[in-house]
Structures are given as structure tokens and as C-alpha cells.
Amino acid sequence: MPTDQGFLAFDLGAESGRAMIVRFDGQTASLEEAHRFPNRLVELPSGTHWNTTGLWLELVEGLGKATDLAKQTDTPIVALGVDTWGVDFGLIGGQGELLGLPHAYRDARNAPAMQRAIDRIGEAALYAGSGIQLLNFNTLFQVEAQQHAEPRSLELAERLLFMPDLLHYFFSGEQANELTIASTSAMLKPDATSWASDLLDRLALPHHFLKDVIPAGSRIGTLRPALAEAAGLGDAPAVVAPGSHDTASAIAAVPLSPEHAATGDWAYLSSGTWSLLGMELDEPIVTDAARAAGFTNERGVGGKVRFLTNIAGLWLVQQVRAGFAAAGQTLSYAELTEQAEASEPFRTLIDPNHASFAAPGGSLEKLKAFGDATGQPAPETPGQCVRCCLETLALEYAHALQAVEAVTGRHAVVLHIVGGGGQNGLLNRMTANAIHRPVVVGPFEATALGNGLTQAIGTGALAGLDELRAVVRHSFELETVEPDPTDPTDPTTGPEAFAAQADRYAALRGAGP
């Protein structure tokens, strides 16, 4: 009889998606990739959308490939679940039909929608009503944008399903909103006990399509028989909601030691297209100081609060790479990092959260414009551009860490970096030097791990979050990067060098063209 159980984790990011088998033998976990595919935005006359049907076909293909792999190792797939980026959603009509192609969070209509909401009730009321950082792509503002552009679709909707909820519906035929993804919307009350109907009423926005919310680890249903048969599955696996927001799954898989778990003296950085830096709390913090510092109160696995701030992340490097590729110079991420390492330190710094960098395209021109507007030399070579992005991120991480410590009153003695961005060793060294404390790097596949092992909680194979983290800690090698005043690549980029740039960087935040 097989002893291993397989949990199929579908992990969808803004650039790509994967189907990953998380194998669990009762003590340790391992990962195997079954399928990987690109995720591209679709520009239509109605705006920027996700290719939702294309993504669904990739998930179905991933299900078949994962089934074949699982059979080879005699590992039954007992459950599956989906995590994605936050905030985006589809509307479901009364007969279960998807009412239109979901818009993407980078849609240009979101910024004016946010401004309309602010003009109506003010930033303080918006934050107090949900505890969520005010970002123009929040679901709340996307609903306002939809109400402004096509109100009839909201009237016809029986259910709003966030992207992972929607894909769980496609798999199981059952509709449910999972808590961690719902909490990114700015439409839940800060204590997450119910939807923020009072806030939505003040904004004159409908909310009849917001129904009951389930916690991560809840069983939604069973894989539809036709899908199970097509994939070659004998027994249809359960469809279990993981931390359906990818960051929630990633933070669940932080390999936290029992000592840090007891004292709370740690912080996390989920590093990928976005960088999410913060602390794990038991209760939300909804204060003027938290709002001014740009912190959000999202929900995590096990009822935790992910008190964090959103930072542009490696999206900046992805866009630089795309910009040089468009100009005929195609370089791998490894080549870009190598050239960055050889480039002059602190030549140009930017504000990573400047509005101009949020939209795709034109990255090289945007970097030049920011340099010109702030009296800095414009980065020109691939190495200069990437070094500019990485040094800026490290300095922003230091700023965000100081801010979260000030708001929470806690001191972090260590920063855990999880996610694919942890594979950038240069950025890890810069981060350790910028924050003046060690960083623990790994696992890189934290999101898929957290997804699969939260499914294991849902099936009873694990007891809870502490057990999940112990499994991760015992299953993977971690790297600790210490602040190094004598960086072998360049002694001018150690902790003192980063500290000397802090005031310069602070002056650039909020600057630009």
C-alpha cells in the first residue's frame, strides 16, 4: 500500500503558472513540477484582462500530467487546490455562467475609480472600513470601476468569485470565497467576521453577490467526474482551498523555528513579481500610523493576520529584461544579475512604487525619465538598470522593516525570505546589508508548498500551521546570509555603504516625473 500522499498545488502568478505535486510521507515533504505555462495579459477594447479560458485549459493539462507522474511513483493524488495573485475576480450569473472576461489588476480604469472613492468618503474612512492598504487595484476599486463602466453586469451577478475561487468552481462545480484571497479585496471588515457592507453602502456599490467566506484548509467539494475520468484518476480527489492568495500560502511555509514562533521576533519577505514584507500578527492593526505607513491587514492560514506592505518587487527586473529584449538584446536573469554585480554601486536609485513603473512596457524610458527628474544619471546598460532596481529594492526593504517595527512595536532579529526571488543571491546580500541583520533564504517554492500542505491540513494529514512549518523546516535546506562589511564582490556595498544611502533614498520616495 502506498504511504505517500500527493497534494496537487496549482500556483498561478502574474507571469507564469505551475502544477506542482507536493508529496507528503507523514514526516517530510517534497515537490515535483508536472506542468509550467506562461500567463499573459490580454489587451481588448474593454481594457486589460486575464486569458481565463486559456489558463483553465492549462490547469486541465496540468491535472493530466500530474496524474501520470503520480502513477509512476504510486502516489495517490488525494486533493488539489489553487492559489493566485490577489484582488481580481469574475462574476457568476444565476445559471452559473461567467459574466465576462475578468479584468486584470493593472487595468488603467482602476486609478480613476480609486480617486472617485476617495473623493466620496476619504482615505481614512476607506482604511478604517477594511484595514487594507489603499492601492488602486483593490477589488473595492475594481467594483467601482465596473459599476462606472458596466453596472448591468453587477446587477446580474449572483456571486463574485476571486480568481482562485473561480478556478475551484471550474474544478468542483461548487462556489465558495476563501478567506485569504477575500481579505485582499478591501471589502471585508478588519476583523474578517463579515463583508464590509456599511463601507460598500457608503460608496453606493452593490454587494448582494458577496456570500459566506470559508477559511483556508476547507474542503470545497470533489473534482467533477468528467475531469477525473479525462485525467485518468480512479478516485476523484477532494478540492480543498489552500491559502488561495499566493502570499498566504508562501507565508504559511515560512520554516519558522519554535523559538521565533514563541517570541514573534521575526519578519518575512515573500519575494517574486511583488515583494510583500511584514509580520505575522494575531489581531489587525487599523490605526492612522498603519495607514500612513502603507500597511495592510490581510488574512493568513490558521487565522493569522498578514500585516504587510506591497512593494513592486522583481516586476522591475522583469520589465527591464523585456525592454532590452524588445530592443534586440535578450539576456537571461542570470546574465542580468552578473552584469548588475559588475556595475557601479548606487549610481542611480528610483522609487520602486512610483506609479509610472506599475504599468507594463517602456521600462528603459521610465528609468531614464526618473533619473532625469531627480538629477541622477540615467541607467543605460542592462547591468546598470538591474543594479538600480536591486539596490532600490534592498533599500525599500530596509525602510519597510523599520516601518513595520515602528507600527507593531516589535523588533525582528531575522528576516525570512521565501519565494522564487530568493534565488537572486545578489539581492539577498544587498538585503542583509541594507537591513543590518541576517536573512534566512528558502524555500524557493514556498507558495506551492504552503498550498499543498494547507490541503494536508484540510484532509487531516496535518494538525495545523505549526505542524506545517515543522514539516517545511525538516524537509529543505535553508541558507542564512549575514550582513557582510567585506563583501567580496565590492567592499563599498556593505552595511555602512547602504546606511550612507538611506537619506538619499528617503528623499527619492515619492519623487520622480
Side-chain angles (χ1 to χ4, degrees), residues 344-411:
E344 177 187 352
F346 305 116
R347 182 177 184 272
T348 312
L349 299 174
I350 60 172
D351 176 359
N353 297 316
H354 190 274
S356 65
F357 298 122
S363 61
L364 307 185
E365 294 80 4
K366 292 172 184 176
L367 289 174
K368 181 181 187 305
F370 194 95
D372 290 344
T374 54
Q376 302 178 90
E380 298 171 351
T381 68
Q384 288 173 349
C385 290
V386 173
R387 182 143 197 153
C388 161
C389 295
L390 297 182
E391 287 176 337
T392 291
L393 287 175
L395 287 162
E396 178 62 17
Y397 298 158
H399 174 88
L401 185 59
Q402 291 173 357
V404 73
E405 289 177 330
V407 174
T408 63
R410 294 185 179 184
H411 175 69

Side-chain angles (χ1 to χ4, degrees), residues 254-421:
V254 169
L256 198 61
S257 70
E259 293 77 17
H260 289 310
T263 59
D265 58 352
W266 61 287
Y268 58 78
L269 170 65
S270 178
S271 180
T273 300
W274 285 92
S275 291
L276 298 310
L277 190 148
M279 290 181 169
E280 189 173 81
L281 306 178
D282 292 323
E283 300 292 337
I285 299 176
V286 187
T287 62
D288 288 341
R291 175 174 63 86
F295 282 92
T296 200
N297 293 273
E298 297 173 357
R299 291 287 156 163
V301 174
K304 297 293 186 180
V305 174
R306 294 179 286 126
F307 187 70
L308 59 86
T309 189
N310 291 266
I311 301 166
L314 289 169
W315 163 258
L316 300 170
V317 176
Q318 293 166 8
Q319 287 296 292
V320 165
R321 182 172 182 251
F324 279 103
Q329 193 172 0
T330 301
L331 296 164
S332 69
Y333 286 117
E335 289 171 327
L336 288 170
T337 302
E338 183 179 353
Q339 291 187 28
E341 197 162 16
S343 297
E344 177 187 352
F346 305 116
R347 182 177 184 272
T348 312
L349 299 174
I350 60 172
D351 176 359
N353 297 316
H354 190 274
S356 65
F357 298 122
S363 61
L364 307 185
E365 294 80 4
K366 292 172 184 176
L367 289 174
K368 181 181 187 305
F370 194 95
D372 290 344
T374 54
Q376 302 178 90
E380 298 171 351
T381 68
Q384 288 173 349
C385 290
V386 173
R387 182 143 197 153
C388 161
C389 295
L390 297 182
E391 287 176 337
T392 291
L393 287 175
L395 287 162
E396 178 62 17
Y397 298 158
H399 174 88
L401 185 59
Q402 291 173 357
V404 73
E405 289 177 330
V407 174
T408 63
R410 294 185 179 184
H411 175 69
V413 300
V414 64
L415 176 69
H416 278 273
I417 298 179
V418 295

Side-chain angles (χ1 to χ4, degrees), residues 22 111-112 121 155 170 194 201 338 353 369 388 399 409 411 413 444 472 475:
V22 180
I121 65 173
E155 294 172 17
F170 290 173
S194 63
D201 286 340
E338 183 179 353
N353 297 316
C388 161
H399 174 88
H411 175 69
V413 300
F444 301 140
V472 176
S475 301

Side-chain angles (χ1 to χ4, degrees), residues 34-51:
H35 184 48
R36 181 180 290 266
F37 50 91
N39 187 12
R40 298 186 181 94
L41 297 173
V42 179
E43 296 293 342
L44 297 174
S46 53
T48 306
H49 297 265
W50 294 110
N51 181 12

